[in-house]
Amino acid sequence: MILISHRGNINGPNKVRENSPYYIMEAIAIGYEVEIDIRWVDGRLYLGHDEPQYEISNDWLESRINNLWIHCKNIELLNWIKNTHFHYFWHENDT
């Protein structure tokens, strides 16, 4: 069975910590895979649901490639990520 954390959350929402790199790593460390929200802005990768909050590197993603499910939050990320081996998805509207 695969357990997937939503933005690092495993026991309900935590708006202060969700999508932060350390929160995601904590969920992975106890056995979860994690759905995360990422944007590509000016050639840089950012975690964050409603806006870019935490800059991350490609190396950060690569080192967790088997544990992440990436929600592409903008078309720029979709264009970049389609040439990688990451698990990802994209849609235009959240509703």
Side-chain angles (χ1 to χ4, degrees), residues 8 20-32 34 60 63-64 68:
S20 71
Y22 294 111
Y23 198 47
I24 293 162
M25 292 185 302
E26 287 173 16
I28 291 170
I30 59 173
Y32 286 82
V34 183
W60 188 91
S63 68
R64 294 159 182 84
L68 299 175

